[in-house]
Amino acid sequence: MRACSILPVLLALFGSTLWGCAPDQPEYPEGRAEADLRFLADNLLEGRGTPSHGLDVAALYLANQLRAAGWHPPPGGDYFQPYEVGIFDPAAAEIRISLNGIALEEGQYAFMAMGLRPDETPVEYGLVFAGHGVSVPEEGADDFQGLDVDGKAVIALHGAPWELDPAVIHAPDHGIGKAVQAGVRGAQLLLYVSEEYSAGFEGTPGAEVDLINVYSHSPLTQLIENARTSAFSTPFLAIGSDVFDQALASVAGGTYAEFQSRLRGGESLSGDLAASISIEIDTETPRGIANNVLAVLPGSDPVLRDEWIILTAHYDHLGAYEAPPGEDGIFNGADDNASGTAAVLEVARRLATAGPLDRSVAVAFVSGEEMGLIGSAVYAWHPPVPMEQTVLNINVDMVGRSDGTAQAVIPGSEELFAKAVEMGEKVGMTIHPDQQPTWRLSYFTDSYHFAKNDIPAIFLFTSLHTDYHQPSDEIDKIEFEAYGRIVDVIGALAEYYAKGGTLPAYERPPWFLTP
């Protein structure tokens, strides 16, 4: 990506006569959104890591665009909602982990400390065995049923009662999904056991192994106020079957292979073990400041103006790393989530010129999403407008790769989904329901903090893809024509409810658990 890709932003801001240039106008009306997207995904912003200079530049840009569009700072506040974070670098830390009294050596585990600040250690948790650690009641599988995991470390073995797709990383039958299911039930750690982490493993590991290994060695941003910011900020420790056999077979009553055989035979294996795990981390954690960007547009109806619609998108991504010569080390995040940020910004401009709004509307561009929904947690804990007066959340995340369709993840509100479908039909955009319902994507996106407060929330996105969380998530892969229609859908949906449309009913799904 070239730095001169900032040119479309300047053209959008100052007009096509800049330097005597008169480029052809796009065939769709979302030229401003494209310009915003190109700016946010430019190398100059260095991947918008939390915290970083590039993130600050993006925040300043977004705040001033909202100001120029006529949006106001929240009552008694500012366009910026700052919060303090600490940076935990595993490479600079001394980590001591003891499993049933046996010290684990470096190379015997992969540890993601998300949700556990070093200054909170040492910690010690009792162990509870949860078989495969799968909870998918729709498929007749719930290893957590009747199991008390609150305050404990959950042991979950690799696998499920069905064949796994090794390319999937968010599914409930993989480690990350199992960590979420443990975390929402109050567990303090997931101890994930897989032969893929054993010394001398000769097979082909699944995609999640590479992801977990990267995260376990990468600097981690943690909220100083409270490191447990979301359902998926559950500390995660992966060990091999060999380590399990060495440390736990005697107290568990069987080896890893024996337990896998019994689970495949249909046995339900769960219960407390007479063992514990302890973790201690010695390191310095430099601190920094990151910001959410907030703005409001007050409604005019004497009654409905006290009801708030919240538009959200995370504007952060993964930052950058020092890549070898000739390789790209910047995670520009064009789709994730410059696309959603630019879409919400364009919708904000349209709402400002849409005539009087009955309900009040707020925009929250949140940061720290990639580190565990940090920014949206800060918003929910310190809302600039009362959460009890918030009646709807429209969250936009990864909407740049459409094939003419989009997905609407809406747990608990068929009425909201039906309205999204209706708005899509008007602009030739097919809106599908959640295509991966057992993945529980609501746990992984910023709408989580609204849904957990029983606020109807819609999360719009197009799809996951092979460029997800890779430097290859670049601007040249955005499908701008379809993207323009998605912006239209979001805008129509927001305007319908802002202008007094009947609010959707919400009923929390039985599976949606919150600690």
Side-chain angles (χ1 to χ4, degrees), residues 347 350-351 354-355 357 394 490-501:
V347 169
R350 296 182 187 185
L351 288 174
L357 303 179
I394 300 175
I490 301 164
L493 197 63
E495 185 173 345
Y496 169 79
Y497 289 112
K499 288 194 171 182

Side-chain angles (χ1 to χ4, degrees), residues 408-423:
V409 179
I410 312 172
S413 184
E414 290 298 324
E415 293 176 10
L416 183 52
F417 175 72
K419 185 58 64 175
V421 170
E422 176 188 330
M423 297 307 180

